[in-house]
Amino acid sequence: MSYILTIVGARPQFVKAAVVSEALSDLNIPEKIIHTGQHYDHEMSTIFWEELNIPVPALNLGIGSGSHGEQTGIMLQKLESYILQEPELPTALMVYGDTNSTLAGALVASKLHIPVIHVEAGLRSFNKAMPEEINRIMTDHISDILFCSSDQGVKQLKREGISKGVFNVGDVMYDALLTFSEIAKQKVSLSDITSLKKDQFILTTIHRPSNTDNEDHLKNIMEAFSKIEQQILWPVHPRNKNKIEQLDLPANLVLSEPVSYFEMMVLLNNCQKVITDSGGLQKEAYWMKKQCITVRNETEWIETLDGKWNTLTGPYAERIVRAVNSNPETNWVPLYGQGFSSSDIANIIKKQLKS
Ligand code: UD1
């Protein structure tokens, strides 16, 4: 086997790559990583690579911000040139999740007849207004090895006519959480991040364009926050910083800079509940046994809805407040594997791509 070429670009992908890279290395499977540069701020990128000890990327494409077409287009061009000037083509190209970096990597590889490995395959929100939904559908349909986080993903791919090369391995983010949350506890304390006290605050992240770029939705979310008793801590995505700071903010809302993965683990561990529109945070809240209120009309992680551990409210004040004032109704059961996803992935890759 020559090497696996991994493409990452956005925050959640750094976390996923950290554990899978380690597992590949444990099996002596050579890997090169390319960072597209989709996320580039220190708090959005560098700090994750440092904390999670991710192997230094062979290249950073330095793409940065831009419209979806522009961002994806430049990635396609730069990735293709990089691959073609390499002395040896990769055995396979691996992508994670559903960002523009995912789609660009998969597309370039498939046009060059390099097998595509998609980690977090088969997820659907059934909302094509989300750029992520387009990215994941396209990526799945040109992938050769598809790693799903649950049986739902396997079933969905089957419905779409994809059954070859599909594996349910659980979720690599669970591996990451199990691996790093104890280290995070030792390295970071709550008081390093905030003056808010354990179990006395709600953690929120809101960054979906459907919420932050729609004035009415943002107003509704602020109204909900103002009616919630607890203090609410919000690490703000840089894209929304200016917009949020100009709003008439409720007194119980505390804004902060984006937090690192370790800081996020510590905040999750110490918060009372989570309000989010992020995909990954819904699962992380579940694994940390925290109730999640999801400010969207749909979720890709439908298993978390059982027993009201996660509630979909959409951007509606009354529904958000009602969900925050309720509690989960069932005992916690493990979801998305047992924390061995990354080693399962590495073993399957080794078998499938035997030279
Ligand atoms: C991207 C993913 C989204 C994922 C999120 C995780 C796509 C389509 N979306 O969304 O699925 O949940 O990452 O965080 O790929 N910006 C900065 N500094 C940075 C990065 C971004 O200021 O380091 C600002 C820029 O103004 C940029 C905007 O954020 O234009 C959007 O960034 P982008 O990476 O395109 O999308 P995200 O909203 O972060």
PDB file of all heavy atoms in Angstrom, residues 320-346:
ATOM      1  N   ILE A 320     -38.471  26.717  22.093  1.00  0.00           N
ATOM      2  CA  ILE A 320     -37.132  26.596  22.704  1.00  0.00           C
ATOM      3  C   ILE A 320     -37.275  26.630  24.223  1.00  0.00           C
ATOM      4  O   ILE A 320     -36.744  25.775  24.939  1.00  0.00           O
ATOM      5  CB  ILE A 320     -36.189  27.727  22.210  1.00  0.00           C
ATOM      6  CG1 ILE A 320     -35.979  27.625  20.692  1.00  0.00           C
ATOM      7  CG2 ILE A 320     -34.844  27.688  22.952  1.00  0.00           C
ATOM      8  CD1 ILE A 320     -35.249  28.806  20.049  1.00  0.00           C
ATOM      9  N   VAL A 321     -38.033  27.610  24.717  1.00  0.00           N
ATOM     10  CA  VAL A 321     -38.173  27.781  26.176  1.00  0.00           C
ATOM     11  C   VAL A 321     -38.838  26.542  26.789  1.00  0.00           C
ATOM     12  O   VAL A 321     -38.392  26.024  27.823  1.00  0.00           O
ATOM     13  CB  VAL A 321     -38.983  29.065  26.508  1.00  0.00           C
ATOM     14  CG1 VAL A 321     -39.197  29.190  28.017  1.00  0.00           C
ATOM     15  CG2 VAL A 321     -38.280  30.299  25.952  1.00  0.00           C
ATOM     16  N   ARG A 322     -39.888  26.060  26.112  1.00  0.00           N
ATOM     17  CA  ARG A 322     -40.585  24.875  26.636  1.00  0.00           C
ATOM     18  C   ARG A 322     -39.626  23.674  26.715  1.00  0.00           C
ATOM     19  O   ARG A 322     -39.602  22.945  27.701  1.00  0.00           O
ATOM     20  CB  ARG A 322     -41.787  24.536  25.747  1.00  0.00           C
ATOM     21  CG  ARG A 322     -42.818  23.724  26.512  1.00  0.00           C
ATOM     22  CD  ARG A 322     -44.067  23.360  25.712  1.00  0.00           C
ATOM     23  NE  ARG A 322     -44.482  24.360  24.755  1.00  0.00           N
ATOM     24  CZ  ARG A 322     -44.764  24.088  23.471  1.00  0.00           C
ATOM     25  NH1 ARG A 322     -44.654  22.856  23.009  1.00  0.00           N
ATOM     26  NH2 ARG A 322     -45.160  25.036  22.654  1.00  0.00           N
ATOM     27  N   ALA A 323     -38.817  23.503  25.688  1.00  0.00           N
ATOM     28  CA  ALA A 323     -37.882  22.359  25.684  1.00  0.00           C
ATOM     29  C   ALA A 323     -36.834  22.511  26.788  1.00  0.00           C
ATOM     30  O   ALA A 323     -36.497  21.546  27.476  1.00  0.00           O
ATOM     31  CB  ALA A 323     -37.212  22.236  24.328  1.00  0.00           C
ATOM     32  N   VAL A 324     -36.350  23.744  26.982  1.00  0.00           N
ATOM     33  CA  VAL A 324     -35.333  23.969  28.027  1.00  0.00           C
ATOM     34  C   VAL A 324     -35.922  23.650  29.403  1.00  0.00           C
ATOM     35  O   VAL A 324     -35.224  23.138  30.281  1.00  0.00           O
ATOM     36  CB  VAL A 324     -34.811  25.430  27.977  1.00  0.00           C
ATOM     37  CG1 VAL A 324     -33.982  25.761  29.208  1.00  0.00           C
ATOM     38  CG2 VAL A 324     -33.992  25.662  26.709  1.00  0.00           C
ATOM     39  N   ASN A 325     -37.215  23.921  29.577  1.00  0.00           N
ATOM     40  CA  ASN A 325     -37.838  23.687  30.884  1.00  0.00           C
ATOM     41  C   ASN A 325     -38.328  22.248  31.078  1.00  0.00           C
ATOM     42  O   ASN A 325     -38.981  21.948  32.063  1.00  0.00           O
ATOM     43  CB  ASN A 325     -38.995  24.661  31.094  1.00  0.00           C
ATOM     44  CG  ASN A 325     -38.475  26.080  31.268  1.00  0.00           C
ATOM     45  OD1 ASN A 325     -37.334  26.280  31.716  1.00  0.00           O
ATOM     46  ND2 ASN A 325     -39.258  27.069  30.867  1.00  0.00           N
ATOM     47  N   SER A 326     -38.024  21.376  30.117  1.00  0.00           N
ATOM     48  CA  SER A 326     -38.411  19.966  30.277  1.00  0.00           C
ATOM     49  C   SER A 326     -37.160  19.145  30.598  1.00  0.00           C
ATOM     50  O   SER A 326     -36.053  19.692  30.662  1.00  0.00           O
ATOM     51  CB  SER A 326     -39.052  19.449  28.993  1.00  0.00           C
ATOM     52  OG  SER A 326     -38.048  19.301  28.001  1.00  0.00           O
ATOM     53  N   ASN A 327     -37.339  17.836  30.750  1.00  0.00           N
ATOM     54  CA  ASN A 327     -36.198  16.969  31.056  1.00  0.00           C
ATOM     55  C   ASN A 327     -36.263  15.692  30.230  1.00  0.00           C
ATOM     56  O   ASN A 327     -37.348  15.305  29.792  1.00  0.00           O
ATOM     57  CB  ASN A 327     -36.199  16.594  32.544  1.00  0.00           C
ATOM     58  CG  ASN A 327     -35.719  17.760  33.384  1.00  0.00           C
ATOM     59  OD1 ASN A 327     -34.632  18.293  33.180  1.00  0.00           O
ATOM     60  ND2 ASN A 327     -36.572  18.186  34.297  1.00  0.00           N
ATOM     61  N   PRO A 328     -35.118  14.993  30.054  1.00  0.00           N
ATOM     62  CA  PRO A 328     -35.166  13.710  29.347  1.00  0.00           C
ATOM     63  C   PRO A 328     -36.090  12.740  30.076  1.00  0.00           C
ATOM     64  O   PRO A 328     -36.219  12.797  31.302  1.00  0.00           O
ATOM     65  CB  PRO A 328     -33.721  13.216  29.395  1.00  0.00           C
ATOM     66  CG  PRO A 328     -32.900  14.411  29.634  1.00  0.00           C
ATOM     67  CD  PRO A 328     -33.747  15.352  30.432  1.00  0.00           C
ATOM     68  N   GLU A 329     -36.716  11.857  29.293  1.00  0.00           N
ATOM     69  CA  GLU A 329     -37.729  10.979  29.887  1.00  0.00           C
ATOM     70  C   GLU A 329     -37.297   9.524  30.000  1.00  0.00           C
ATOM     71  O   GLU A 329     -38.048   8.688  30.480  1.00  0.00           O
ATOM     72  CB  GLU A 329     -39.014  11.069  29.038  1.00  0.00           C
ATOM     73  CG  GLU A 329     -39.652  12.443  29.155  1.00  0.00           C
ATOM     74  CD  GLU A 329     -40.771  12.658  28.149  1.00  0.00           C
ATOM     75  OE1 GLU A 329     -40.976  11.794  27.282  1.00  0.00           O
ATOM     76  OE2 GLU A 329     -41.429  13.713  28.256  1.00  0.00           O
ATOM     77  N   THR A 330     -36.116   9.210  29.490  1.00  0.00           N
ATOM     78  CA  THR A 330     -35.672   7.812  29.561  1.00  0.00           C
ATOM     79  C   THR A 330     -34.242   7.743  30.079  1.00  0.00           C
ATOM     80  O   THR A 330     -33.541   8.753  30.103  1.00  0.00           O
ATOM     81  CB  THR A 330     -35.670   7.143  28.164  1.00  0.00           C
ATOM     82  OG1 THR A 330     -34.850   7.929  27.300  1.00  0.00           O
ATOM     83  CG2 THR A 330     -37.056   7.013  27.582  1.00  0.00           C
ATOM     84  N   ASN A 331     -33.837   6.520  30.447  1.00  0.00           N
ATOM     85  CA  ASN A 331     -32.437   6.336  30.854  1.00  0.00           C
ATOM     86  C   ASN A 331     -31.537   6.445  29.638  1.00  0.00           C
ATOM     87  O   ASN A 331     -31.944   6.150  28.522  1.00  0.00           O
ATOM     88  CB  ASN A 331     -32.248   4.959  31.478  1.00  0.00           C
ATOM     89  CG  ASN A 331     -32.889   4.923  32.848  1.00  0.00           C
ATOM     90  OD1 ASN A 331     -33.053   5.969  33.498  1.00  0.00           O
ATOM     91  ND2 ASN A 331     -33.283   3.731  33.266  1.00  0.00           N
ATOM     92  N   TRP A 332     -30.322   6.859  29.893  1.00  0.00           N
ATOM     93  CA  TRP A 332     -29.322   7.004  28.835  1.00  0.00           C
ATOM     94  C   TRP A 332     -28.865   5.628  28.362  1.00  0.00           C
ATOM     95  O   TRP A 332     -28.610   4.746  29.164  1.00  0.00           O
ATOM     96  CB  TRP A 332     -28.148   7.783  29.426  1.00  0.00           C
ATOM     97  CG  TRP A 332     -27.113   8.207  28.448  1.00  0.00           C
ATOM     98  CD1 TRP A 332     -27.075   9.394  27.780  1.00  0.00           C
ATOM     99  CD2 TRP A 332     -25.958   7.467  28.041  1.00  0.00           C
ATOM    100  NE1 TRP A 332     -25.971   9.435  26.971  1.00  0.00           N
ATOM    101  CE2 TRP A 332     -25.261   8.269  27.111  1.00  0.00           C
ATOM    102  CE3 TRP A 332     -25.434   6.209  28.349  1.00  0.00           C
ATOM    103  CZ2 TRP A 332     -24.082   7.870  26.498  1.00  0.00           C
ATOM    104  CZ3 TRP A 332     -24.256   5.798  27.736  1.00  0.00           C
ATOM    105  CH2 TRP A 332     -23.596   6.628  26.820  1.00  0.00           C
ATOM    106  N   VAL A 333     -28.813   5.445  27.062  1.00  0.00           N
ATOM    107  CA  VAL A 333     -28.234   4.207  26.513  1.00  0.00           C
ATOM    108  C   VAL A 333     -27.124   4.609  25.538  1.00  0.00           C
ATOM    109  O   VAL A 333     -27.196   5.675  24.940  1.00  0.00           O
ATOM    110  CB  VAL A 333     -29.279   3.346  25.753  1.00  0.00           C
ATOM    111  CG1 VAL A 333     -30.311   2.756  26.683  1.00  0.00           C
ATOM    112  CG2 VAL A 333     -29.956   4.158  24.647  1.00  0.00           C
ATOM    113  N   PRO A 334     -26.087   3.770  25.368  1.00  0.00           N
ATOM    114  CA  PRO A 334     -25.015   4.167  24.447  1.00  0.00           C
ATOM    115  C   PRO A 334     -25.533   4.278  23.011  1.00  0.00           C
ATOM    116  O   PRO A 334     -26.379   3.497  22.599  1.00  0.00           O
ATOM    117  CB  PRO A 334     -24.004   3.020  24.557  1.00  0.00           C
ATOM    118  CG  PRO A 334     -24.444   2.164  25.675  1.00  0.00           C
ATOM    119  CD  PRO A 334     -25.862   2.462  25.986  1.00  0.00           C
ATOM    120  N   LEU A 335     -25.040   5.263  22.291  1.00  0.00           N
ATOM    121  CA  LEU A 335     -25.390   5.424  20.872  1.00  0.00           C
ATOM    122  C   LEU A 335     -24.131   5.602  20.045  1.00  0.00           C
ATOM    123  O   LEU A 335     -23.161   6.170  20.520  1.00  0.00           O
ATOM    124  CB  LEU A 335     -26.242   6.683  20.675  1.00  0.00           C
ATOM    125  CG  LEU A 335     -27.718   6.674  21.042  1.00  0.00           C
ATOM    126  CD1 LEU A 335     -28.339   8.032  20.716  1.00  0.00           C
ATOM    127  CD2 LEU A 335     -28.481   5.566  20.340  1.00  0.00           C
ATOM    128  N   TYR A 336     -24.182   5.154  18.821  1.00  0.00           N
ATOM    129  CA  TYR A 336     -23.110   5.355  17.832  1.00  0.00           C
ATOM    130  C   TYR A 336     -21.807   4.650  18.216  1.00  0.00           C
ATOM    131  O   TYR A 336     -20.732   5.234  18.161  1.00  0.00           O
ATOM    132  CB  TYR A 336     -22.866   6.853  17.588  1.00  0.00           C
ATOM    133  CG  TYR A 336     -24.135   7.624  17.299  1.00  0.00           C
ATOM    134  CD1 TYR A 336     -24.554   8.665  18.132  1.00  0.00           C
ATOM    135  CD2 TYR A 336     -24.917   7.301  16.194  1.00  0.00           C
ATOM    136  CE1 TYR A 336     -25.725   9.360  17.863  1.00  0.00           C
ATOM    137  CE2 TYR A 336     -26.097   7.996  15.927  1.00  0.00           C
ATOM    138  CZ  TYR A 336     -26.491   9.018  16.772  1.00  0.00           C
ATOM    139  OH  TYR A 336     -27.648   9.704  16.518  1.00  0.00           O
ATOM    140  N   GLY A 337     -21.937   3.389  18.627  1.00  0.00           N
ATOM    141  CA  GLY A 337     -20.741   2.568  18.847  1.00  0.00           C
ATOM    142  C   GLY A 337     -20.226   2.614  20.267  1.00  0.00           C
ATOM    143  O   GLY A 337     -20.863   3.163  21.166  1.00  0.00           O
ATOM    144  N   GLN A 338     -19.061   1.999  20.445  1.00  0.00           N
ATOM    145  CA  GLN A 338     -18.511   1.827  21.794  1.00  0.00           C
ATOM    146  C   GLN A 338     -17.192   2.564  21.960  1.00  0.00           C
ATOM    147  O   GLN A 338     -16.486   2.371  22.928  1.00  0.00           O
ATOM    148  CB  GLN A 338     -18.258   0.327  22.051  1.00  0.00           C
ATOM    149  CG  GLN A 338     -19.476  -0.562  21.847  1.00  0.00           C
ATOM    150  CD  GLN A 338     -20.519  -0.348  22.925  1.00  0.00           C
ATOM    151  OE1 GLN A 338     -20.169   0.044  24.039  1.00  0.00           O
ATOM    152  NE2 GLN A 338     -21.778  -0.565  22.622  1.00  0.00           N
ATOM    153  N   GLY A 339     -16.836   3.378  20.950  1.00  0.00           N
ATOM    154  CA  GLY A 339     -15.567   4.099  21.056  1.00  0.00           C
ATOM    155  C   GLY A 339     -14.417   3.414  20.344  1.00  0.00           C
ATOM    156  O   GLY A 339     -13.260   3.748  20.587  1.00  0.00           O
ATOM    157  N   PHE A 340     -14.749   2.424  19.483  1.00  0.00           N
ATOM    158  CA  PHE A 340     -13.678   1.741  18.736  1.00  0.00           C
ATOM    159  C   PHE A 340     -13.769   2.016  17.241  1.00  0.00           C
ATOM    160  O   PHE A 340     -13.250   1.264  16.427  1.00  0.00           O
ATOM    161  CB  PHE A 340     -13.751   0.210  18.946  1.00  0.00           C
ATOM    162  CG  PHE A 340     -13.763  -0.192  20.383  1.00  0.00           C
ATOM    163  CD1 PHE A 340     -14.857  -0.837  20.935  1.00  0.00           C
ATOM    164  CD2 PHE A 340     -12.665   0.093  21.187  1.00  0.00           C
ATOM    165  CE1 PHE A 340     -14.867  -1.194  22.276  1.00  0.00           C
ATOM    166  CE2 PHE A 340     -12.666  -0.274  22.516  1.00  0.00           C
ATOM    167  CZ  PHE A 340     -13.765  -0.909  23.069  1.00  0.00           C
ATOM    168  N   SER A 341     -14.461   3.070  16.868  1.00  0.00           N
ATOM    169  CA  SER A 341     -14.721   3.310  15.443  1.00  0.00           C
ATOM    170  C   SER A 341     -13.446   3.506  14.648  1.00  0.00           C
ATOM    171  O   SER A 341     -13.316   3.006  13.539  1.00  0.00           O
ATOM    172  CB  SER A 341     -15.586   4.550  15.268  1.00  0.00           C
ATOM    173  OG  SER A 341     -16.737   4.407  16.005  1.00  0.00           O
ATOM    174  N   SER A 342     -12.515   4.285  15.214  1.00  0.00           N
ATOM    175  CA  SER A 342     -11.332   4.603  14.409  1.00  0.00           C
ATOM    176  C   SER A 342     -10.469   3.365  14.155  1.00  0.00           C
ATOM    177  O   SER A 342      -9.961   3.185  13.052  1.00  0.00           O
ATOM    178  CB  SER A 342     -10.528   5.739  15.034  1.00  0.00           C
ATOM    179  OG  SER A 342     -10.517   5.621  16.410  1.00  0.00           O
ATOM    180  N   SER A 343     -10.359   2.477  15.162  1.00  0.00           N
ATOM    181  CA  SER A 343      -9.555   1.277  14.882  1.00  0.00           C
ATOM    182  C   SER A 343     -10.302   0.359  13.934  1.00  0.00           C
ATOM    183  O   SER A 343      -9.691  -0.298  13.081  1.00  0.00           O
ATOM    184  CB  SER A 343      -9.130   0.569  16.166  1.00  0.00           C
ATOM    185  OG  SER A 343     -10.247   0.222  16.902  1.00  0.00           O
ATOM    186  N   ASP A 344     -11.635   0.305  14.013  1.00  0.00           N
ATOM    187  CA  ASP A 344     -12.399  -0.487  13.037  1.00  0.00           C
ATOM    188  C   ASP A 344     -12.169   0.064  11.624  1.00  0.00           C
ATOM    189  O   ASP A 344     -11.966  -0.695  10.679  1.00  0.00           O
ATOM    190  CB  ASP A 344     -13.902  -0.451  13.356  1.00  0.00           C
ATOM    191  CG  ASP A 344     -14.237  -1.295  14.584  1.00  0.00           C
ATOM    192  OD1 ASP A 344     -13.332  -2.005  15.073  1.00  0.00           O
ATOM    193  OD2 ASP A 344     -15.383  -1.229  15.064  1.00  0.00           O
ATOM    194  N   ILE A 345     -12.184   1.381  11.507  1.00  0.00           N
ATOM    195  CA  ILE A 345     -11.969   2.008  10.193  1.00  0.00           C
ATOM    196  C   ILE A 345     -10.593   1.632   9.649  1.00  0.00           C
ATOM    197  O   ILE A 345     -10.444   1.212   8.503  1.00  0.00           O
ATOM    198  CB  ILE A 345     -12.127   3.551  10.303  1.00  0.00           C
ATOM    199  CG1 ILE A 345     -13.609   3.894  10.444  1.00  0.00           C
ATOM    200  CG2 ILE A 345     -11.509   4.273   9.098  1.00  0.00           C
ATOM    201  CD1 ILE A 345     -13.901   5.367  10.674  1.00  0.00           C
ATOM    202  N   ALA A 346      -9.579   1.754  10.482  1.00  0.00           N
ATOM    203  CA  ALA A 346      -8.213   1.448  10.029  1.00  0.00           C
ATOM    204  C   ALA A 346      -8.103  -0.018   9.597  1.00  0.00           C
ATOM    205  O   ALA A 346      -7.507  -0.330   8.566  1.00  0.00           O
ATOM    206  CB  ALA A 346      -7.216   1.766  11.131  1.00  0.00           C
TER     207      ALA A 346
END
